[in-house]
Amino acid sequence: MPKCEIYEDVKGEWRWRRTNKKGDILEYSKKGFESREECEKNGKEEGSCTSYKLAL
């Protein structure tokens, strides 16, 4: 089952990505977001993310 991760990039912007069991990236945010909430909303609209794991 794919999983969705959310993380803060080097610019301090929030991004999401959806990966498979092997860790291959299937989908990702095309831009960074100022808030985590905006990023999660985009992940639900543009991808198929409904819940997130914080990526380190």
Side-chain angles (χ1 to χ4, degrees), residues 1-35:
M1 176 173 202
K3 67 178 179 177
C4 293
E5 299 175 332
I6 193 165
Y7 62 97
E8 204 168 354
D9 67 14
V10 295
K11 292 182 181 179
E13 297 177 328
W14 288 95
R15 295 181 176 268
W16 62 268
R17 63 181 166 228
R18 188 167 67 91
T19 60
N20 63 17
K21 286 185 178 183
K22 294 183 195 177
D24 300 323
I25 297 171
L26 305 173
E27 289 181 280
Y28 58 91
S29 57
K30 306 295 189 267
K31 66 176 191 165
F33 297 89
E34 287 186 27
S35 74

